[in-house]
């Protein structure tokens, strides 16, 4: 193994991507050889370009061979992030460049920052490319389906080490600003190659970064400078609208602030946004509505499986005022006939998933009504995917999925491949342990198709899409039937 050649490849990569300047090459080389425990370096000539993942594999192979790094994906990730951190500009330089670009074009600034986040390997593009994606044409529009394969599974040794590792309160969570530049540990990812951009919304300090597991173009996370819990209130609407004023080419939304209907991190106030048009944003208003004292605000019920009120106005403060009024009304709203209860046994159930964007030259807010009540029949949530859909999707329905992008578990990749073979070869799916949970589902659609080896995968993709549309319908509080829509209007009329 010629480690000098690997170092040279990485230096060339840094120069080609703009992470470092030609004048930084000697300094950066010396930083890398120090990290590798070397005291000298021999310049070599390199023909052609290599993929970053291949370069880093060569370097971590060397580190493993020299005892600098254990041979597992967790330890390799910690080590190669340390190496990449040596090529990434300091935070002040990144902020300065971003602000300079922003003056001319917010879109150019975010495009540059997004590229930097990938070039630095903070977004591991080689892993993101493994995700499976397809489009399903539903009655609500074109829904995105993804099977997430980019999050590496920890090996048993790393899991055991994490269990026995001393607990640390630094950083307090994966979103805290203290992650920027952090070296990581066995139970927390390294972030030496991570950079964040300060933004001011509602006159408070927040930061913007990109998700390391991007689900769509320029998938960003906007987080509070303070480690404070998620909370949906009047200030949430103000912050969201301030953000789209700063970045009018982005949407931004917040997960709900209650378990089951909220996101995976409720301990740190944050939003998610990006440069992508989801099916929900493209869905039209199907029932126009008006609110007393807010005749200047365009409003209506969106044609969408989840119960959504859309507001649009050129004056963002009017949207804040009306959204706050709707939220306040929904928090305490009960309609037993529609099985909507604001509270049971002292536990509050009603909240909202809000999404902001610019549309037709005006500010736009989508307010998705959520309720997290559980019953003995539906212990994971009445307005949550029901048990008959758990073979495809059991996890919470958060912001991204509310908008029409399914994030399905990695297990489905192998299960669908095995299922395709079983269906084509007419195997008894009920008798196959790994596939038995899918058997009733397959029995429900297989007779509708003339199945061949050539079309089985497209059939499965379409049927998975149908299941996800049903998942969203289950998560909708007011169902899309006559009774449900009457109940929806009962709520609106009493606001």
């Amino acid at each position: 193994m010629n480690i000098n050649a690997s170092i040279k490849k990485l230096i060339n990569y840094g120069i080609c991507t703009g992470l470092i300047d030609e004048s930084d090459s000697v300094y950066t080389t010396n930083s890398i050889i120090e990290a590798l425990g070397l005291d000298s370096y021999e310049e070599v000539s390199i023909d052609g370009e290599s993929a970053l993942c291949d370069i880093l594999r060569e370097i971590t192979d060397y580190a493993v061979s020299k005892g600098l790094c254990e041979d597992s994906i967790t330890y390799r990730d910690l080590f190669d992030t340390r190496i990449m951190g040596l090529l990434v500009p300091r935070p002040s330089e990144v902020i300065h460049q971003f602000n300079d670009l922003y003056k001319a074009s917010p879109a150019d600034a975010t495009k540059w920052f997004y590229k930097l986040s990938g070039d630095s390997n903070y977004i591991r593009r080689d892993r993101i490319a493994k995700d499976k994606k397809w489009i399903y044409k539903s009655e609500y529009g074109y829904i995105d389906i993804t099977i997430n394969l980019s999050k590496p599974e920890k090996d048993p040794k790393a899991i055991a080490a994490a269990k026995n590792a001393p607990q640390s309160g630094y950083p307090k969570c994966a979103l805290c600003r203290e992650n920027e530049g952090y070296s990581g540990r066995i139970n927390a990812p390294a972030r030496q190659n991570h950079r964040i951009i300060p933004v001011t919304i509602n006159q408070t300090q927040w930061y913007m970064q990109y998700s390391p597991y991007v689900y769509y173009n320029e998938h960003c996370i906007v987080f509070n400078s303070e480690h404070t819990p998620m909370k949906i209130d009047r200030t949430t609407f103000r912050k969201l609208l301030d953000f789209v004023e700063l970045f009018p080419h982005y949407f931004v939304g917040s997960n709900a602030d209650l378990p089951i209907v909220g996101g995976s991190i409720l301990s740190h106030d944050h939003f998610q946004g990006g440069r992508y048009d989801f099916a929900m944003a493209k869905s039209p208003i199907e029932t126009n509505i008006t609110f007393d004292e807010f005749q200047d605000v365009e409003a209506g019920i969106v044609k969408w499986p989840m119960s959504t009120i859309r507001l649009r106005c050129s004056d963002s403060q009017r949207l804040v005022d009306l959204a706050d009024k709707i939220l306040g009304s929904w928090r305490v709203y009960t309609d037993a006939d529609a099985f909507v209860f604001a509270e049971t046994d002292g536990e509050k159930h009603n909240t909202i998933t809000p999404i902001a964007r610019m549309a037709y030259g005006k500010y736009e807010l989508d307010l998705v009504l959520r309720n997290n009540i559980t019953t003995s029949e539906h212990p994971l949530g009445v307005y949550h995917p029901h048990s008959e859909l758990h073979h495809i999707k059991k996890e919470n329905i958060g912001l991204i999925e509310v908008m029409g992008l399914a994030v399905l578990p990695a297990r489905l990749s192998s299960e669908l491949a095995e299922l395709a073979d079983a269906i084509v070869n007419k195997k008894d799916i009920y008798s196959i342990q790994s596939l038995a949970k899918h058997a009733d589902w397959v029995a429900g659609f297989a007779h509708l198709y003339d199945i061949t080896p050539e079309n089985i995968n497209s059939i499965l993709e379409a049927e998975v899409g149908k299941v996800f549309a049903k998942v969203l319908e289950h998560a909708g509080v007011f169902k899309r039937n006559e009774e449900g829509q009457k109940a929806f209007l009962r709520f609106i009329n009493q606001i």
Side-chain angles (χ1 to χ4, degrees):
M1 178 188 300
N2 187 343
I3 189 60
N4 291 324
S6 300
I7 294 171
K8 180 63 175 180
K9 291 176 189 176
L10 187 58
I11 294 298
N12 287 351
Y13 171 86
I15 293 171
C16 288
T17 57
L19 289 174
I20 63 173
D21 189 79
E22 180 77 44
S23 60
D24 298 320
S25 59
V26 172
Y27 176 89
T28 307
T29 298
N30 285 330
S31 297
I32 294 171
I33 68 172
E34 178 187 15
L36 293 172
L38 300 169
D39 54 16
S40 64
Y41 169 76
E42 183 178 337
E43 184 75 22
V44 294
S45 59
I46 299 296
D47 295 326
E49 296 181 2
S50 298
L52 178 60
C53 59
D54 294 331
I55 299 170
L56 293 176
R57 188 180 305 113
E58 292 172 4
I59 291 176
T60 53
D61 282 348
Y62 175 85
V64 168
S65 72
K66 297 300 181 182
L68 301 173
C69 168
E70 290 194 35
D71 191 12
S72 81
I73 191 167
T74 302
Y75 290 100
R76 283 175 175 264
D77 281 1
L78 289 169
F79 193 85
D80 71 20
T81 301
R82 176 187 174 192
I83 296 298
M84 287 305 301
L86 301 174
L87 279 73
V88 182
R90 287 182 175 272
S92 59
E93 298 174 64
V94 173
I95 293 168
H96 180 76
Q97 178 69 13
F98 182 91
N99 289 340
D100 277 353
L101 290 168
Y102 181 89
K103 292 172 186 175
S105 167
D108 285 349
T110 59
K111 182 179 180 181
W112 171 83
F113 185 42
Y114 186 59
K115 179 179 181 297
L116 173 75
S117 299
D119 290 343
S120 68
N121 210 41
Y122 165 70
I123 298 172
R124 293 178 180 262
R125 291 175 178 142
D126 60 310
R127 293 181 185 168
I128 301 299
K130 296 176 183 177
D131 291 348
K132 294 189 175 181
K133 302 180 180 182
W134 66 92
I135 303 292
Y136 169 66
K137 185 179 180 180
S138 76
E139 64 177 290
Y140 310 109
Y142 290 92
I143 291 177
D144 296 287
I145 310 293
T146 68
I147 298 177
N148 188 302
L149 301 173
S150 58
K151 290 186 179 180
E153 295 186 9
K154 291 185 177 180
D155 59 277
K157 182 186 292 186
I159 293 172
K163 182 179 180 180
N164 297 322
Q167 295 300 305
S168 171
Y170 184 89
K172 290 180 180 178
C173 78
L175 290 180
C176 287
R177 64 169 298 194
E178 288 80 13
N179 284 281
E180 185 179 39
Y182 184 58
S183 61
R185 53 185 188 273
I186 191 63
N187 54 3
R191 290 289 183 252
Q192 293 101 323
N193 56 351
H194 175 44
R195 297 294 180 265
I196 60 180
I197 299 295
V199 294
T200 300
I201 50 178
N202 193 36
Q203 301 178 324
T204 55
Q205 183 68 70
W206 285 56
Y207 292 91
M208 181 177 72
Q209 66 179 57
Y210 288 105
S211 168
Y213 309 109
V214 290
Y215 294 129
Y216 50 85
N217 186 43
E218 297 188 32
H219 177 183
C220 71
I221 298 172
V222 186
F223 62 96
N224 198 319
S225 62
E226 302 293 330
H227 181 78
T228 186
M230 295 282 293
K231 184 180 181 182
I232 303 296
D233 60 14
R234 179 184 181 87
T235 66
T236 303
F237 307 129
R238 182 68 272 163
K239 292 165 188 169
L240 295 175
L241 292 166
D242 280 356
F243 185 83
V244 296
E245 184 173 351
L246 290 171
F247 302 98
H249 58 298
Y250 272 12
F251 80 89
V252 68
S254 175
N255 269 304
D257 54 356
L258 294 178
I260 297 177
V261 296
S264 58
I265 300 178
L266 294 176
S267 62
H268 195 132
D269 200 11
H270 70 284
F271 309 139
Q272 294 184 78
R275 195 171 192 175
Y276 192 75
D277 292 325
F278 288 87
M280 179 194 214
K282 299 174 185 176
S283 292
I285 287 176
E286 61 179 355
T287 303
N288 290 303
I289 54 180
T290 57
F291 293 94
D292 291 343
E293 302 177 7
F294 290 92
Q295 285 83 359
D296 56 324
V297 177
E298 301 170 48
I301 296 173
V302 179
K303 184 183 178 182
W304 192 245
M306 298 187 68
S307 308
T308 306
I309 299 172
R310 177 166 294 162
L311 310 177
R312 188 184 299 140
C313 188
S314 57
D315 183 346
S316 64
Q317 191 56 44
R318 295 290 285 163
L319 291 190
V320 171
D321 293 340
L322 179 51
D324 184 45
K325 185 174 183 178
I326 294 170
L327 173 64
S329 182
W330 178 241
R331 288 283 195 192
V332 298
Y333 184 73
T334 290
D335 182 345
D337 291 340
F339 204 79
V340 173
F341 297 93
E343 183 179 320
T344 57
D345 299 325
E347 180 184 356
K348 297 183 185 302
H349 297 303
N350 290 349
T351 186
I352 279 177
T353 298
I355 302 110
R357 65 183 75 87
M358 299 299 297
Y360 309 103
K362 297 180 180 181
Y363 297 93
E364 188 171 274
L365 263 180
D366 282 350
L367 305 178
V368 187
L369 307 182
R370 312 298 301 274
N371 179 289
N372 74 347
I373 195 169
T374 61
T375 63
S376 57
E377 183 183 1
H378 301 295
L380 297 183
V382 172
Y383 304 109
H384 177 90
H386 294 173
S387 57
E388 67 268 23
L389 307 182
H390 288 179
H391 66 105
I392 296 294
K393 177 68 177 179
K394 184 179 182 180
E395 299 77 16
N396 292 355
I397 304 305
L399 171 68
I400 293 172
E401 289 168 317
V402 166
M403 296 184 292
L405 190 155
V407 182
L408 302 180
R411 63 174 173 81
L412 281 177
S413 179
S414 58
E415 288 176 7
L416 291 176
E418 189 179 356
L419 199 58
D421 175 74
I423 294 171
V424 167
N425 291 293
K426 297 180 169 51
K427 296 179 182 178
D428 179 11
I429 297 171
Y430 287 96
S431 67
I432 303 173
Q433 185 176 359
S434 61
L435 300 181
K437 59 180 170 287
H438 298 300
D440 287 344
W441 173 54
V442 173
F445 69 75
H447 66 282
L448 301 174
Y449 298 94
D450 179 15
I451 295 175
T452 68
E454 290 73 31
N455 68 11
I456 183 59
N457 289 326
S458 60
I459 289 171
L460 284 172
E461 288 181 354
E463 291 298 326
V464 168
K466 289 179 185 178
V467 170
F468 182 68
K470 183 66 70 175
V471 162
L472 294 181
E473 290 171 354
H474 284 189
V477 176
F478 298 113
K479 302 309 177 186
R480 289 187 54 76
N481 53 34
E482 184 178 356
E483 183 181 350
Q485 292 307 292
K486 284 181 178 178
F488 200 165
L489 289 173
R490 282 201 302 272
F491 165 67
I492 289 170
N493 290 334
Q494 61 82 53
I495 294 174

